[in-house]
Amino acid sequence: MRFISVLLLSSATGFLALAQEIIWVRILMYYTGGRPQVFAYVLGSYLAGIAIGSWWSRKLCNQKVGTILISRMLFFSSIVFYFTIGLISYYPSIFTAPSIYILVGIVTVFTGTIFPLLAHFGINTQQVGQHLSWIYLFNIIGATFGSGITGFYLMENHSITKIVFFVLTAGLILSLFISLLSQRPKQVLVYFVLIGGSFIFIQQNHDAIFVSFLEKLHYKRDFVQKGNYKYSNENRSGIIATHFNKETGCDVIYGGGVYDSCFNVDPDGPNGIERVYAIVKLHPAPKNILVIGLSSGSWVRALTYSNVFEKIDVVEINHGYLDLIKQYPEHSKIFEDPRVTIHIDDGRRWLNHTDEKYDFILMNTTFHWRSYITNLVSSDFLNIIKNHLNPGGVVYYNTTGSEDIIYTAANIFSHVVRYGNFVAASDGTFSVGPAIARSFASTFMNGDKPVLIGSQAIKNILSNPLPDVREQILSRNDLFEITDDNMAVEYKKKLKYFFNPDMSWGEMYKRLF
């Protein structure tokens, strides 16, 4: 019975450990705006903390290891984890990303002691290898369930602050249960009072501790001026929120703590939406449109103003955007347009499972330095897109200032032009004349009101010559073709040292650090 209890406790502690790690990744991704290094840094800090905790447990094992000691370490692991997360939103000058990674390691030190202590407590010295393997197996099973339940269920249905409270509560309950296995009634009573008192205090003050938590992580020192979000939505695909911007006069939508879009369809508005209206200069008469990424719905709503388009497919991975769009009457009209079909899926996966062909594929992609952006701008994905374009079809997407994205497009398509910070690529020439473009622009109507005619945006679009820049961009030797393997757009600053076959590892190390 004792060994079975140790197996179950090993599984439970593995569950909590992975739940804590996933929470740290979600929080730090939001804090940094989705830096690709976050997962590696959190994992490294976590493993360092576990290593230090394991080393510390060797000293703890010099004393008698009982359930009270194991319970105490689990108690401290849960409490320190909870309050550390609560504190990082209050002092942005102190808790910068590097210091938070150190905190992750410190918190994990307590977690790192638990597995060795359980092994020391529960293993029969006659069957060390077999018992250790069973304890380790159950720990891995618990960790698997911890990551799965936290990432796929809890984050889909609850806010991050509630999940932090759930994990704390589970840790305290488990700590109390372990202490009850002790045969020292006085110690158990003291521990029962300590855990019960801690839980009551936290339960009563949880909302105060985590008030405006996401806003503080996002705005940091500017929180006092910015204030709270207008609307927000949290699910397993990410955290999105809207906030009124006084400078632009429209509601801005943030995805993962980074600017996503603005709720505006006016071609002369503040969000540069004239770039979507530039479609009149890129294709003479596209019938079937694919939009990868819905965000505020402004770009899709702009497309619905024209009767030229017969079909508009939209692929969006985060269903939370739909809930936010419903708060904005003009934008929510996209749900009533019979031409618009919204698919909740990953863009690449969806394209790999459909035979649909399109005249025009639009992606208002996020910043090139964010995690996972490679999935949408790599040559591998562009080849997938190419297979879903009709003859003369165009892919048009945001470079966010990355010349490597344009270079990659030039390696896949025969013709490449730029409009603002967007790139348009096709195997057909871009030869839409002013008369055709002007006629196309006249089809954009909001009721009986012209959307483009008379606007400054259409003047800019028609006056833009759109020269083919493919040969010019390919002649440069300072750019990378982005692939799924090199993720150059995310890690370019260091990649160039790793792709020099004439450089030794020692030279690479010196150049890097």
Side-chain angles (χ1 to χ4, degrees):
M1 288 300 298
R2 173 170 168 166
F3 186 64
I4 291 174
S5 298
V6 169
L7 292 180
L8 295 176
L9 291 175
S10 178
S11 183
T13 53
F15 183 103
L16 292 175
L18 262 292
Q20 289 181 3
E21 183 177 5
I22 287 178
I23 290 169
W24 276 120
V25 171
R26 167 63 70 97
I27 288 173
L28 277 157
M29 277 290 190
Y30 200 75
Y31 182 91
T32 63
R35 290 285 181 182
Q37 298 89 348
V38 166
F39 178 77
Y41 288 165
V42 170
L43 180 60
S45 302
Y46 218 76
L47 292 176
I50 289 176
I52 295 171
S54 300
W55 172 81
W56 184 21
S57 66
R58 181 180 180 182
K59 296 182 179 295
L60 294 174
C61 286
N62 290 330
Q63 55 185 292
K64 185 176 181 180
V65 176
T67 55
I68 289 294
L69 178 59
I70 297 171
S71 176
R72 187 184 305 151
M73 288 301 162
L74 185 56
F75 171 79
F76 282 122
S77 171
S78 302
I79 290 292
V80 174
F81 165 76
Y82 178 85
F83 282 106
T84 299
I85 290 179
L87 282 174
I88 61 176
S89 66
Y90 283 92
Y91 304 102
S93 298
I94 299 174
F95 296 120
T96 57
S99 62
I100 295 176
Y101 293 124
I102 294 173
L103 290 177
V104 172
I106 293 173
V107 171
T108 316
V109 167
F110 297 98
T111 307
T113 64
I114 297 172
F115 181 85
L117 291 177
L118 277 173
H120 188 79
F121 174 74
I123 290 178
N124 185 323
T125 54
Q126 301 300 316
Q127 298 174 297
V128 175
Q130 185 182 57
H131 281 191
L132 179 61
S133 64
W134 277 105
I135 293 173
Y136 192 37
L137 172 64
F138 272 75
N139 188 261
I140 292 173
I141 292 172
T144 303
F145 277 97
S147 58
I149 291 175
T150 304
F152 286 92
Y153 175 75
L154 291 179
M155 287 187 173
E156 178 65 20
N157 297 284
H158 300 282
S159 67
I160 191 67
T161 56
K162 282 186 179 180
I163 298 171
V164 170
F165 182 75
F166 291 159
V167 171
L168 167 78
T169 303
L172 293 181
I173 291 173
L174 183 60
S175 176
L176 180 60
F177 173 75
I178 296 174
S179 70
L180 293 176
L181 299 177
S182 173
Q183 297 179 355
R184 299 180 181 180
K186 289 185 178 179
Q187 284 189 347
V188 172
L189 179 61
V190 171
Y191 217 69
F192 183 84
V193 172
L194 176 63
I195 294 176
S198 300
F199 177 79
I200 292 172
F201 172 81
I202 291 171
Q203 194 272 334
Q204 293 294 320
N205 293 278
H206 175 75
D207 291 340
I209 294 171
F210 284 90
V211 63
S212 303
F213 179 69
L214 292 177
E215 290 90 335
K216 291 174 182 175
L217 287 182
H218 179 186
Y219 296 127
K220 302 175 181 64
R221 298 179 186 179
D222 296 330
F223 169 69
V224 175
Q225 290 78 28
K226 298 282 189 179
N228 291 323
Y229 293 141
K230 189 172 182 179
Y231 304 109
S232 64
N233 186 290
E234 298 182 52
N235 57 63
R236 70 185 186 188
S237 297
I239 302 171
I240 52 180
T242 64
H243 185 272
F244 179 72
N245 188 300
K246 297 178 181 178
E247 296 178 1
T248 61
C250 69
D251 283 3
V252 169
I253 188 166
Y254 296 100
V258 171
Y259 176 85
D260 230 1
S261 182
C262 177
F263 286 90
N264 170 71
V265 290
D266 180 358
D268 296 328
N271 58 335
I273 200 171
E274 76 170 56
R275 292 169 297 176
V276 71
Y277 293 114
I279 190 173
V280 303
K281 195 74 176 293
L282 299 171
H283 196 291
K287 303 297 182 183
N288 297 334
I289 307 291
L290 173 64
V291 180
I292 298 178
L294 178 63
S295 190
S296 69
S298 298
W299 290 54
V300 175
R301 179 55 180 148
L303 291 173
T304 61
Y305 288 140
S306 174
N307 58 13
V308 169
F309 313 122
E310 297 176 356
K311 179 179 181 179
I312 303 174
D313 280 332
V314 183
V315 181
E316 171 56 57
I317 197 170
N318 190 334
H319 62 81
Y321 284 105
L322 278 65
D323 297 327
L324 293 187
I325 291 171
K326 291 175 183 177
Q327 308 298 325
Y328 298 84
E330 178 63 24
H331 293 68
S332 63
K333 290 178 182 178
I334 64 174
F335 304 126
E336 304 167 7
D337 195 312
R339 297 172 298 169
V340 177
T341 305
I342 299 175
H343 309 270
I344 302 301
D345 203 343
D346 171 74
R348 177 180 291 208
R349 182 171 58 191
W350 190 82
L351 282 173
N352 280 329
H353 290 84
T354 183
D355 296 323
E356 292 283 348
K357 297 275 189 175
Y358 298 96
D359 301 313
F360 200 92
I361 296 178
L362 170 68
M363 300 187 295
N364 190 6
T365 46
T366 189
F367 294 98
H368 65 270
W369 47 263
R370 299 187 73 196
S371 290
Y372 316 122
I373 186 61
T374 297
N375 290 333
L376 294 178
V377 298
S378 69
S379 56
D380 306 75
F381 184 55
L382 291 181
N383 277 314
I384 295 173
I385 283 182
K386 191 173 183 178
N387 291 330
H388 288 275
L389 287 174
N390 287 319
V394 176
V395 58
Y396 181 55
Y397 59 110
N398 201 340
T399 70
T400 63
S402 170
E403 299 284 281
D404 295 296
I405 291 178
I406 305 172
Y407 182 81
T408 303
N411 275 279
I412 304 301
F413 292 94
S414 302
H415 300 278
V416 175
V417 299
R418 307 173 69 165
Y419 187 86
N421 61 350
F422 267 59
V423 60
S426 175
D427 282 335
T429 59
F430 292 93
S431 56
V432 179
I436 295 176
R438 194 174 292 107
S439 175
F440 191 174
S442 68
T443 66
F444 285 81
M445 301 288 292
N446 187 0
D448 58 355
K449 180 183 178 182
V451 175
L452 286 176
I453 302 303
S455 68
Q456 182 60 44
I458 193 60
K459 295 176 184 177
N460 296 338
I461 294 167
L462 294 176
S463 63
N464 196 318
L466 298 183
D468 195 322
V469 299
R470 182 175 183 270
E471 295 303 323
Q472 174 191 346
I473 205 79
L474 287 178
S475 67
R476 293 175 57 177
N477 57 13
D478 60 326
L479 300 177
F480 282 91
E481 178 182 344
I482 305 159
T483 69
D484 289 350
D485 292 330
N486 66 29
M487 296 191 291
V489 73
E490 299 176 42
Y491 293 98
K492 180 182 175 183
K493 288 182 179 178
K494 294 186 178 182
L495 267 177
K496 59 184 177 182
Y497 303 130
F498 283 104
F499 286 116
N500 186 345
D502 298 324
M503 189 180 294
S504 69
W505 285 106
E507 290 173 318
M508 291 182 191
Y509 180 85
K510 292 177 182 178
R511 297 284 297 272
L512 282 168
F513 303 103

